Amino acid sequence: MRLASRALWAAAGVAWRESFPLGGRDVARWFPGHMAKGLKKMQSSLKLVDCIIEVHDARIPLSGRNPLFQETLGLKPHVLVLNKMDLADLKEQQKIIQHLEGEGLKHVVFTSCVRDENVKQIIPMVTGLVGSSRRYHRGEVCERPPLFLLDTPGVLAPRIGSVEMGLKLALCGTVLDHLVGEETLADYLLYTLNRHQLFGYVQHYGLGGACDDITSVLKQVAVRLGKTQKVKVLTGTGDVNVIQPNYPAAARDFLRTFRSGLLGPVMLDRGVLQSPLVAEP
């Protein structure tokens, strides 16, 4: 279903929210305790490797990266793999690379493991950086030249820089939804899509038009998907069964649809990219 051009024009002219309410959210508790153990294990493993391959989400290329890797820059060869490029809006890819170069990252690869895009660029880049100095570890990934992979669990930084950074990490599935709140996440997603004028959700769910009120959107989504529930309401004449939208179920579907790419490619770090570049000292 295509969104009518009149509806698109009308949506583009709406004054969307300029900011998202971030107060009163305890971002510290979003860091799962078990990750601290994984972080310590990763730190000890860094001593054994010749090159670090850091994998991060291409939708947030500048947010939420573990500062542990920043400490290793200049000490060991480092390749940053920005995966899920098929889900990311990369119109400003060159600006992303410039920002990362400003942080000291010279070797960046955009990949999509699902579509097998650019994945084969990683091993030649690593072997070129490491040269003939290779240690042997479990997990051979290449015979010529012999290359072994020491995998580590994915971990968050112990301190998430800001609430908004935490929300972006959560949208990408890095933080468990229930720790943040599914409806809160859905609201932040709606805020982001509207601010970027990405109205694919209107087409996908067959809504009457774009909207900035998450309650209204989730209500329409729930009705469209048949995600409703009967609730007893006490009235003066007795109990009455009322059909209510299942807002949490609608929020989960909204998030799942975004994460699967059905709402189109998105760059969650667009605001960061608009900030001025800071040159290396």
Side-chain angles (χ1 to χ4, degrees), residues 125-222:
M125 183 176 288
V126 169
T127 54
L129 289 171
V130 173
S132 59
S133 173
R134 288 187 295 273
R135 297 186 179 89
Y136 288 77
H137 304 289
R138 68 179 184 274
E140 186 173 7
V141 293
C142 183
E143 292 183 351
R144 298 182 181 179
L147 194 66
F148 292 77
L149 177 68
L150 178 62
D151 193 16
T152 64
V155 296
L156 289 172
R159 293 182 181 178
I160 299 175
S162 66
V163 175
E164 185 157 21
M165 182 185 292
L167 288 168
K168 289 191 282 188
L169 286 165
L171 276 183
C172 293
T174 308
V175 178
L176 294 175
D177 290 351
H178 74 270
L179 293 176
V180 182
E182 291 158 336
E183 292 177 54
T184 296
L185 266 182
D187 192 19
Y188 183 72
L189 173 58
L190 180 66
Y191 159 77
T192 301
L193 294 175
N194 286 336
R195 286 272 291 167
H196 296 178
Q197 296 193 9
L198 301 172
F199 306 116
Y201 69 93
V202 179
Q203 295 172 274
H204 179 79
Y205 288 111
L207 307 183
C211 177
D212 214 17
D213 178 55
I214 189 60
T215 301
S216 176
V217 169
L218 292 182
K219 180 178 181 179
Q220 294 180 72
V221 170

Side-chain angles (χ1 to χ4, degrees), residues 88-104:
D89 181 355
L90 296 178
K91 293 187 183 72
E92 297 186 284
Q93 181 171 332
Q94 194 55 43
K95 188 177 285 189
I96 294 170
I97 293 173
Q98 290 173 354
H99 271 267
L100 292 170
E101 286 178 346
E103 296 177 9

